[in-house]
Amino acid sequence: MKAQPQRGVNSRRPAHASVDTKVGLAELRDLGSEDIDAIVRFWYGSGDELLDFLGIDRSLLGTVEDTRGRFLHAIPTGDPDQPNIAFAITVNGQFAGYTLLNRYTPGINYSHWHITNPELRASGLSTALYPYRIKTYFDAAPIDRLIHQTPTRNIGVRMLDWYVPVAETCYIERPDEVGLPGEFHLWYVFREDIPGLFETAKRYRATQS
């Protein structure tokens, strides 16, 4: 299956990580201003069904300009104290999604990621990129622990089962980012876990060959 390009987004920014996948060469690089239109189209052009499935609070999502401003603020600057840092996911040089790191304290940091190209969501791209994405976060910021916070109904993120166990399941009144209250799985990842994630990735690739 070939990735379908998302119009107007093809950056030459250097990659933090590259990995061959069954849909092509996937890379993680700094988000750029040229990527933000594709993110806006994802959030405001995908329809209510997707937003409902993701459990999005429209009042927190806000307007197009609110979202544009949030992501402009998250373009990496190199400042180790930057509170929000976003990276683009590309396939064969074309924008395919993004990942966002929200930082609060050394031990409280949340990651969010979305494959914005719908033709790639069931491709295994998120699973293949996972250890590279985690290493990119820890390389970019002096964090000790990363938290994944996912609605229990979102079975698509159970690709995490390949890498880390669910640590807690609980009701959260104010989840990170723009989610509605609800029941969430929490997954914890520490800096010292990174080498093991790459070993797991090798086993995952073996199952795909």
Side-chain angles (χ1 to χ4, degrees), residues 4-20:
Q4 296 300 309
Q6 296 200 343
R7 62 184 184 277
V9 186
N10 191 344
S11 174
R12 297 180 183 274
R13 296 174 185 273
H16 293 282
S18 301
V19 58
D20 286 316

PDB file of all heavy atoms in Angstrom, residues 4-20:
ATOM      1  N   GLN A   4      -0.764   8.033   0.587  1.00  0.00           N
ATOM      2  CA  GLN A   4      -1.305   9.096  -0.228  1.00  0.00           C
ATOM      3  C   GLN A   4      -0.787  10.428   0.308  1.00  0.00           C
ATOM      4  O   GLN A   4      -0.899  10.715   1.492  1.00  0.00           O
ATOM      5  CB  GLN A   4      -2.838   9.086  -0.187  1.00  0.00           C
ATOM      6  CG  GLN A   4      -3.439   7.831  -0.780  1.00  0.00           C
ATOM      7  CD  GLN A   4      -3.056   7.654  -2.225  1.00  0.00           C
ATOM      8  OE1 GLN A   4      -3.212   8.576  -3.023  1.00  0.00           O
ATOM      9  NE2 GLN A   4      -2.548   6.489  -2.579  1.00  0.00           N
ATOM     10  N   PRO A   5      -0.177  11.262  -0.540  1.00  0.00           N
ATOM     11  CA  PRO A   5       0.362  12.520  -0.056  1.00  0.00           C
ATOM     12  C   PRO A   5      -0.731  13.447   0.433  1.00  0.00           C
ATOM     13  O   PRO A   5      -1.848  13.434  -0.083  1.00  0.00           O
ATOM     14  CB  PRO A   5       1.062  13.103  -1.289  1.00  0.00           C
ATOM     15  CG  PRO A   5       0.383  12.471  -2.455  1.00  0.00           C
ATOM     16  CD  PRO A   5      -0.010  11.103  -1.994  1.00  0.00           C
ATOM     17  N   GLN A   6      -0.414  14.254   1.456  1.00  0.00           N
ATOM     18  CA  GLN A   6      -1.319  15.294   1.907  1.00  0.00           C
ATOM     19  C   GLN A   6      -0.822  16.589   1.278  1.00  0.00           C
ATOM     20  O   GLN A   6       0.323  16.977   1.456  1.00  0.00           O
ATOM     21  CB  GLN A   6      -1.335  15.363   3.423  1.00  0.00           C
ATOM     22  CG  GLN A   6      -1.893  14.071   4.013  1.00  0.00           C
ATOM     23  CD  GLN A   6      -2.378  14.252   5.420  1.00  0.00           C
ATOM     24  OE1 GLN A   6      -2.048  15.209   6.089  1.00  0.00           O
ATOM     25  NE2 GLN A   6      -3.174  13.324   5.878  1.00  0.00           N
ATOM     26  N   ARG A   7      -1.672  17.239   0.570  1.00  0.00           N
ATOM     27  CA  ARG A   7      -1.260  18.311  -0.324  1.00  0.00           C
ATOM     28  C   ARG A   7      -0.500  19.436   0.385  1.00  0.00           C
ATOM     29  O   ARG A   7      -0.813  19.834   1.484  1.00  0.00           O
ATOM     30  CB  ARG A   7      -2.490  18.893  -1.043  1.00  0.00           C
ATOM     31  CG  ARG A   7      -3.526  19.531  -0.120  1.00  0.00           C
ATOM     32  CD  ARG A   7      -4.732  19.969  -0.939  1.00  0.00           C
ATOM     33  NE  ARG A   7      -5.715  20.665  -0.134  1.00  0.00           N
ATOM     34  CZ  ARG A   7      -6.630  20.076   0.592  1.00  0.00           C
ATOM     35  NH1 ARG A   7      -6.675  18.755   0.624  1.00  0.00           N
ATOM     36  NH2 ARG A   7      -7.500  20.778   1.293  1.00  0.00           N
ATOM     37  N   GLY A   8       0.510  19.886  -0.321  1.00  0.00           N
ATOM     38  CA  GLY A   8       1.200  21.081   0.109  1.00  0.00           C
ATOM     39  C   GLY A   8       2.181  20.909   1.256  1.00  0.00           C
ATOM     40  O   GLY A   8       2.710  21.892   1.749  1.00  0.00           O
ATOM     41  N   VAL A   9       2.461  19.691   1.692  1.00  0.00           N
ATOM     42  CA  VAL A   9       3.336  19.519   2.843  1.00  0.00           C
ATOM     43  C   VAL A   9       4.449  18.537   2.482  1.00  0.00           C
ATOM     44  O   VAL A   9       4.254  17.340   2.466  1.00  0.00           O
ATOM     45  CB  VAL A   9       2.560  19.009   4.072  1.00  0.00           C
ATOM     46  CG1 VAL A   9       3.471  18.973   5.283  1.00  0.00           C
ATOM     47  CG2 VAL A   9       1.355  19.901   4.357  1.00  0.00           C
ATOM     48  N   ASN A  10       5.605  19.049   2.169  1.00  0.00           N
ATOM     49  CA  ASN A  10       6.751  18.210   1.827  1.00  0.00           C
ATOM     50  C   ASN A  10       8.002  18.974   2.256  1.00  0.00           C
ATOM     51  O   ASN A  10       8.504  19.803   1.515  1.00  0.00           O
ATOM     52  CB  ASN A  10       6.771  17.906   0.331  1.00  0.00           C
ATOM     53  CG  ASN A  10       7.796  16.836   0.003  1.00  0.00           C
ATOM     54  OD1 ASN A  10       8.672  16.528   0.786  1.00  0.00           O
ATOM     55  ND2 ASN A  10       7.660  16.266  -1.181  1.00  0.00           N
ATOM     56  N   SER A  11       8.484  18.729   3.471  1.00  0.00           N
ATOM     57  CA  SER A  11       9.568  19.509   4.051  1.00  0.00           C
ATOM     58  C   SER A  11      10.893  18.780   3.906  1.00  0.00           C
ATOM     59  O   SER A  11      10.954  17.561   3.911  1.00  0.00           O
ATOM     60  CB  SER A  11       9.286  19.763   5.538  1.00  0.00           C
ATOM     61  OG  SER A  11      10.388  20.403   6.142  1.00  0.00           O
ATOM     62  N   ARG A  12      11.967  19.554   3.814  1.00  0.00           N
ATOM     63  CA  ARG A  12      13.314  19.005   3.763  1.00  0.00           C
ATOM     64  C   ARG A  12      13.991  19.074   5.129  1.00  0.00           C
ATOM     65  O   ARG A  12      15.211  18.947   5.213  1.00  0.00           O
ATOM     66  CB  ARG A  12      14.144  19.756   2.720  1.00  0.00           C
ATOM     67  CG  ARG A  12      13.619  19.613   1.294  1.00  0.00           C
ATOM     68  CD  ARG A  12      14.499  20.380   0.320  1.00  0.00           C
ATOM     69  NE  ARG A  12      13.966  20.308  -1.028  1.00  0.00           N
ATOM     70  CZ  ARG A  12      14.229  19.322  -1.880  1.00  0.00           C
ATOM     71  NH1 ARG A  12      15.014  18.341  -1.506  1.00  0.00           N
ATOM     72  NH2 ARG A  12      13.710  19.323  -3.094  1.00  0.00           N
ATOM     73  N   ARG A  13      13.246  19.289   6.173  1.00  0.00           N
ATOM     74  CA  ARG A  13      13.844  19.357   7.510  1.00  0.00           C
ATOM     75  C   ARG A  13      14.509  18.025   7.851  1.00  0.00           C
ATOM     76  O   ARG A  13      13.996  16.965   7.507  1.00  0.00           O
ATOM     77  CB  ARG A  13      12.770  19.687   8.548  1.00  0.00           C
ATOM     78  CG  ARG A  13      12.124  21.050   8.366  1.00  0.00           C
ATOM     79  CD  ARG A  13      10.974  21.267   9.335  1.00  0.00           C
ATOM     80  NE  ARG A  13      10.305  22.523   9.064  1.00  0.00           N
ATOM     81  CZ  ARG A  13      10.673  23.689   9.580  1.00  0.00           C
ATOM     82  NH1 ARG A  13      11.699  23.729  10.417  1.00  0.00           N
ATOM     83  NH2 ARG A  13      10.014  24.797   9.289  1.00  0.00           N
ATOM     84  N   PRO A  14      15.648  18.063   8.544  1.00  0.00           N
ATOM     85  CA  PRO A  14      16.329  16.806   8.889  1.00  0.00           C
ATOM     86  C   PRO A  14      15.502  15.955   9.841  1.00  0.00           C
ATOM     87  O   PRO A  14      14.740  16.466  10.675  1.00  0.00           O
ATOM     88  CB  PRO A  14      17.627  17.282   9.553  1.00  0.00           C
ATOM     89  CG  PRO A  14      17.346  18.673  10.006  1.00  0.00           C
ATOM     90  CD  PRO A  14      16.376  19.248   9.018  1.00  0.00           C
ATOM     91  N   ALA A  15      15.647  14.650   9.709  1.00  0.00           N
ATOM     92  CA  ALA A  15      14.871  13.707  10.508  1.00  0.00           C
ATOM     93  C   ALA A  15      15.590  13.377  11.814  1.00  0.00           C
ATOM     94  O   ALA A  15      16.810  13.249  11.848  1.00  0.00           O
ATOM     95  CB  ALA A  15      14.615  12.433   9.723  1.00  0.00           C
ATOM     96  N   HIS A  16      14.816  13.231  12.891  1.00  0.00           N
ATOM     97  CA  HIS A  16      15.342  12.716  14.154  1.00  0.00           C
ATOM     98  C   HIS A  16      15.466  11.192  14.099  1.00  0.00           C
ATOM     99  O   HIS A  16      16.297  10.611  14.785  1.00  0.00           O
ATOM    100  CB  HIS A  16      14.407  13.093  15.316  1.00  0.00           C
ATOM    101  CG  HIS A  16      14.365  14.556  15.589  1.00  0.00           C
ATOM    102  ND1 HIS A  16      15.342  15.227  16.277  1.00  0.00           N
ATOM    103  CD2 HIS A  16      13.434  15.494  15.254  1.00  0.00           C
ATOM    104  CE1 HIS A  16      15.026  16.502  16.371  1.00  0.00           C
ATOM    105  NE2 HIS A  16      13.880  16.687  15.753  1.00  0.00           N
ATOM    106  N   ALA A  17      14.610  10.563  13.312  1.00  0.00           N
ATOM    107  CA  ALA A  17      14.616   9.102  13.203  1.00  0.00           C
ATOM    108  C   ALA A  17      14.006   8.708  11.874  1.00  0.00           C
ATOM    109  O   ALA A  17      13.131   9.397  11.348  1.00  0.00           O
ATOM    110  CB  ALA A  17      13.814   8.486  14.345  1.00  0.00           C
ATOM    111  N   SER A  18      14.491   7.592  11.333  1.00  0.00           N
ATOM    112  CA  SER A  18      13.967   7.040  10.081  1.00  0.00           C
ATOM    113  C   SER A  18      13.830   5.540  10.243  1.00  0.00           C
ATOM    114  O   SER A  18      14.707   4.898  10.833  1.00  0.00           O
ATOM    115  CB  SER A  18      14.908   7.331   8.904  1.00  0.00           C
ATOM    116  OG  SER A  18      15.097   8.709   8.718  1.00  0.00           O
ATOM    117  N   VAL A  19      12.744   4.974   9.708  1.00  0.00           N
ATOM    118  CA  VAL A  19      12.555   3.533   9.786  1.00  0.00           C
ATOM    119  C   VAL A  19      11.796   3.068   8.544  1.00  0.00           C
ATOM    120  O   VAL A  19      10.828   3.711   8.116  1.00  0.00           O
ATOM    121  CB  VAL A  19      11.807   3.133  11.083  1.00  0.00           C
ATOM    122  CG1 VAL A  19      10.453   3.818  11.186  1.00  0.00           C
ATOM    123  CG2 VAL A  19      11.666   1.634  11.198  1.00  0.00           C
ATOM    124  N   ASP A  20      12.259   1.988   7.961  1.00  0.00           N
ATOM    125  CA  ASP A  20      11.545   1.405   6.832  1.00  0.00           C
ATOM    126  C   ASP A  20      10.309   0.675   7.343  1.00  0.00           C
ATOM    127  O   ASP A  20      10.389  -0.116   8.286  1.00  0.00           O
ATOM    128  CB  ASP A  20      12.439   0.429   6.072  1.00  0.00           C
ATOM    129  CG  ASP A  20      13.497   1.140   5.247  1.00  0.00           C
ATOM    130  OD1 ASP A  20      13.149   2.141   4.590  1.00  0.00           O
ATOM    131  OD2 ASP A  20      14.658   0.709   5.264  1.00  0.00           O
TER     132      ASP A  20
END
